[in-house]
Structures are given as structure tokens and as C-alpha cells.
Amino acid sequence: MSNARIVVIDDEPAFRTLSSQWLQAEGYEVHTGASLDDLRELLTRVDADLILLDLSMPPAFDPRQTLAALPEFTDRPVIILTGHGERELALEALRQGAWDLLAKPMDPDLLAVVIRRAITKHQLVRELNSLKTRISKQHPITTLIGASPAMNNTRALVSRIAPTDVRVLVTGPSGTGKEVISRAIHDLSSRAHGPFISVHCGAIPAELLESELFGHTKGAFTGADRNKAGLLKLADGGTLFLDEIGDMPLAMQVKLLRVLQEGSFYPVGGRELETINVRLISATNASLPDKVASGEFREDLFYRIKGVTIETQALDQRPEDIPLLISHFLELQAQGSGRPPLHPDTAAFNWFIQRRWPGNVRELKSTLDSVAAIAQGGVITLDDIALLYPDAKDSSQVTVAPGGDTLDAQVRALEITLITNALASHDNNRTHAAQALGLSRQGLLKKIERYGLQTPG
């Protein structure tokens, strides 16, 4: 805040000189002018953090002219200075967007407090907007959280196949992020500005699935009182994501195969051929080869959708990803609430690391959301967890979830856990975190880079 820039606009030279001296002594960068035109010119070259503006300005010395111009400048705090005590002028200044209104002669202590509060608020808003901009421009590949070899391979594969139109099949247990991977592929592709249409094949009743996918014409069946575009048509020019495609009925599999072969279809009840250009990404937690063998899934459709296969792993097979996922989800919660991110204390962090997650990433996120909702003081403790999970117990050591993990995976998980916990405990101050871990700052930075840890500062 000591480097904040203040513009002082007043027609009295003595006031400008005295106020400049006082503000510079307080550590501010000061620019001055004598009119609204001076103010407009200054703002073309000075990114002011605050404006001190006299209400009665030449040539007319009419306060209402200044008030009328006020909305031009309120993208930053404006403190109105006036020798007029009229209540209506003060109210109008605030209605026009002034931060505050101070009467001359001013109390320096009061002015100091008002300036400090205004500049602090302005800089916090600017930082928040900057953060939102960075988040909105975040590279899609960063949504694939993890430092395990499996996640590193997934990111590498997604980066390579995304720019192509090759069909993709994402397989793996439920809750392992198959849709997140599919959306990252879409966002990195040339179709990123087109639609991403997600269809859960197992959630739509079989008798409705054809109409949902292909659309229908008016009168095609009872209740079809108007033409309706199907999800296939809505995905035209973009990506169609068929989740749990293994649950698609056999009759629909035949019709989908025809669409993939010909790129066209007829809506239900329609005689006009619809053509589409979509990229297909499918996902399933089932073994499609086993379903093919049992006759539950068409072999020709399997090879049509297979393209490049990406297989996700259960969270128990990549414990080194858990600390990163915890930090990521808590950061997302903070962005949504506008509050600083929570962080687990050591005992709570250990509980998350040691716990088995049969529901995988989805279960981990749900648990974090629940625990964070009842945490107090900016820290998640084991006592908070125990309110929802009475069997939660403290542990004197940081361990990883059991399950036959290799020594390398367990070492990686342990290092990531300790680093993430140290950073959270020291408000992401890397120097202090390094000291707590017994590392040099450079040594910590190398580990953060090696594991791909996303931390501020």
C-alpha cells in the first residue's frame, strides 16, 4: 500500500502543496491538478489507486458540475473534499459513487484512516479480479490434477490427441474423473468454441433415449406436441460425450452405429435427413470386451468408439494424488465463497491420506465439502471430521493408504503430503515451509516443480 498512487485535484495551490507533502511523507506516490480536465489528463497516464477531488472547481465553481462528472472516475475510490456542509450534496456525491466525503479543514488522522481503508479495498478488488481473470484463462490441462505416473501419462495423452478428431474411449472406476478428462479434450481441441453435450446413457429410460438423442417431429408419438432437436443435433460442430455407454440398449447401439458410419440420421417420426459433424468421446466403468463376449454390447460399435483408449485408475492406486486433490478442492471452495481457503491441520490431513476412497475422487470431494461446511477458524481439524465420521482417529505418523502400492508411489505420496501440508500451514510461504521441512528454499522449489504442485507465490 505504501506504493499506492493518489491524485489530488484542488484549485488551491497551497492545499495541493501541503497535501502532497503530507501524503508523500506517508509513503504514497502523489500527482496533482487544478481542474476536472487536469484529472482526465492525469488518468490517461497514471493508474491511480485513489482520487482526492475538491467539490467546487473552476471555472464555474459549481459543485453540481463536479458531481455530474463523478461517474467518469469511480472505477477507483474517489474522496470528495468540500467546504460546503450541505447534507444534500453529500448524499448526491455518495449516490454518484463517491467513496466518502470529507469537509475542509480536514482532520489528518481521519483522512489517513479513510485513505488507508479505501486503497486497501481497491487493491483487494483489483487482485480478486486479476485472480478471476487468471482462473478463466487457466489452461484446460491443469484441470487434470495429480502427480502420479498415471496422471502424468493421462495429461501427455490428452495433450496429443485433443487437437485431432480421433474418437476416444475413457474407461475406469466410477468417480475417477472420466468426464473431466473428456471435457479437457474438448477444451483443448479445435471444437472448443462449439458445444460439449453430455449424455448419461444409463440415466435415460430406454424408451426415451432414442428421442433424446435423435430428436422428434411433432406428432411422432403421444405427447410430441412440437418438433424437438435431439442431443446429437445440439452437439453439431462440437463434442458428444456418451457417459456409461456400456448401459446403452442394444437397439440403440445399432442406430448409433449407423450415425457414426454415415454422419446422418432421421429424427423420430421424421423423413428429413439430418447431418451432423461431431467428435465422439465415450466413457464407461464396465469392461466392454466382456460385454461384447456376453452379447451385451455390439462388437462393431465397440471398435467404432474405441479409437484411443484412456484408462483411469482408482484413487487407492495413486495415493500421491490425494494431497493435490485436497488442495485443489479447497481452493475451488474458497473461490466460490470468496473467503480464504481452508486447510487441514496435520491430524486431519493424515486422516484424508490414510482413508480408503472406494468412491474415488467423487467421494473425496463430497467428504471435503461436508467437512469444510462445519469447520471453523479457517482450519479443518480431526474434531471437525469426527462430528461426521465418529471413527476418525488421530495418528502420530503421516502414512499413505494401504493397498500394495510400490515403494516409489508411497515415497512420492509422503513427500507430496508433507510439502502440501507445510505450505498450507504457512499460508503458502515457501521460505517458511522449506524451513519447517528442513529444506533449502531452492530444494523445496525443485520438489514443487517435480511433483507439479500448483501453489501461489
Side-chain angles (χ1 to χ4, degrees):
M1 191 167 64
S2 60
N3 294 322
R5 295 168 292 276
I6 297 178
V7 170
V8 179
I9 303 295
D10 196 290
D11 64 303
E12 299 177 13
F15 179 83
R16 293 200 302 272
T17 300
L18 289 173
S19 60
S20 293
Q21 291 174 350
W22 182 80
L23 291 169
Q24 287 169 351
E26 293 291 313
Y28 298 110
E29 177 185 324
V30 184
H31 302 266
T32 65
S35 67
L36 289 174
D37 287 340
D38 287 350
L39 175 56
R40 294 184 181 100
E41 190 278 327
L42 277 169
L43 293 181
T44 63
R45 53 188 175 84
V46 177
D47 186 14
D49 294 292
L50 181 138
I51 299 170
L52 291 175
L53 178 62
D54 186 39
L55 190 58
S56 184
M57 302 290 293
F61 294 96
D62 180 359
R64 298 198 175 277
Q65 287 190 2
T66 304
L67 291 176
L70 192 56
E72 294 180 45
F73 314 118
T74 50
D75 55 344
R76 66 209 80 209
V78 178
I79 298 176
I80 294 293
L81 309 175
T82 179
H84 303 268
E86 292 93 335
R87 177 175 178 274
E88 189 56 39
L89 284 175
L91 291 175
E92 182 62 24
L94 296 175
R95 277 195 293 267
Q96 293 292 339
W99 171 267
D100 209 339
L101 186 141
L102 298 177
K104 295 179 180 177
M106 289 176 295
D107 179 345
D109 292 333
L110 176 61
L111 180 61
V113 171
V114 173
I115 287 176
R116 190 177 300 113
R117 288 180 60 244
I119 289 178
T120 299
K121 171 73 177 301
H122 176 63
Q123 292 183 340
L124 286 174
V125 169
R126 178 177 286 182
E127 289 173 8
L128 179 60
N129 290 337
S130 175
L131 176 61
K132 288 179 178 178
T133 300
R134 291 199 303 272
I135 291 169
S136 68
K137 294 180 178 178
Q138 193 176 47
H139 198 277
I141 205 70
T142 62
T143 61
L144 305 181
I145 308 298
S148 63
M151 283 306 301
N152 290 336
N153 289 341
T154 295
R155 279 192 293 269
L157 190 53
V158 166
S159 296
R160 293 193 182 192
I161 64 174
T164 74
D165 257 355
V166 65
R167 290 170 185 157
V168 180
L169 176 63
V170 188
T171 67
S174 294
T176 51
K178 294 189 288 293
E179 184 164 356
V180 174
I181 292 171
S182 302
R183 183 168 283 278
I185 294 172
H186 170 77
D187 290 342
L188 284 166
S189 74
S190 60
R191 299 173 179 267
H193 296 295
F196 178 88
I197 302 297
S198 177
V199 184
H200 194 299
C201 299
I204 302 174
E207 62 273 16
L208 298 179
L209 186 57
E210 182 178 5
S211 173
E212 287 296 310
L213 281 176
F214 294 94
H216 60 255
T217 60
K218 182 178 179 180
F221 50 83
T222 303
D225 55 356
R226 57 186 175 84
N227 292 342
K228 178 184 175 183
L231 296 173
L232 283 170
K233 191 63 179 178
L234 294 178
D236 192 22
T239 300
L240 178 67
F241 174 60
L242 296 180
D243 196 10
E244 298 306 340
I245 194 171
D247 295 336
M248 180 176 284
L250 280 169
M252 275 302 305
Q253 293 178 30
V254 175
K255 295 176 180 179
L256 177 62
L257 179 63
R258 187 175 301 120
V259 174
L260 298 181
Q261 289 171 337
E262 301 172 4
S264 59
F265 63 93
Y266 289 99
V268 176
R271 295 186 177 182
E272 186 174 335
L273 193 66
E274 300 273 6
T275 59
I276 55 170
N277 176 8
V278 300
R279 180 185 195 165
L280 180 69
I281 302 178
S282 309
T284 181
N285 64 4
S287 170
L288 290 187
D290 289 346
K291 280 184 168 283
V292 168
S294 64
E296 298 175 81
F297 201 85
R298 292 183 62 94
E299 184 176 21
D300 47 5
L301 179 59
F302 171 61
Y303 287 113
R304 279 282 178 181
I305 67 172
K306 188 173 183 291
V308 173
T309 300
I310 299 176
E311 184 174 357
T312 63
Q313 288 189 346
L315 204 49
D316 285 347
Q317 294 179 279
R318 47 189 180 99
E320 58 264 63
D321 292 344
I322 296 177
L324 303 183
L325 289 164
I326 291 173
S327 296
H328 172 68
F329 290 138
L330 291 177
E331 192 68 41
L332 289 181
Q333 289 175 9
Q335 293 167 14
S337 66
R339 296 191 296 268
L342 296 168
H343 70 268
D345 65 14
T346 300
F349 218 122
N350 293 350
W351 183 84
F352 279 106
I353 301 303
Q354 295 170 13
R355 185 176 174 83
R356 301 301 299 269
W357 300 103
N360 296 298
V361 179
R362 187 181 295 124
E363 182 187 1
L364 173 63
K365 182 181 185 302
S366 175
T367 302
L368 270 171
D369 289 343
S370 301
V371 173
I374 62 172
Q376 297 179 326
V379 178
I380 297 174
T381 69
L382 196 64
D383 289 339
D384 299 326
I385 296 172
L387 290 174
L388 301 177
Y389 301 88
D391 61 342
K393 297 178 182 178
D394 197 358
S395 174
S396 60
Q397 295 182 343
V398 178
T399 62
V400 298
D405 304 306
T406 66
L407 177 61
D408 181 59
Q410 295 191 45
V411 169
R412 288 166 61 87
L414 179 58
E415 283 205 335
I416 292 170
T417 300
L418 292 172
I419 292 170
T420 307
N421 203 16
L423 287 166
S425 299
H426 293 87
D427 296 324
N428 286 303
N429 184 305
R430 296 175 176 182
T431 300
H432 294 167
Q435 291 172 349
L437 292 167
L439 298 171
S440 67
R441 189 175 192 278
Q442 193 61 33
L444 176 61
L445 293 177
K446 288 181 178 178
K447 289 182 181 292
I448 288 173
E449 182 179 0
R450 180 193 311 161
Y451 294 131
L453 304 181
Q454 301 293 323
T455 65

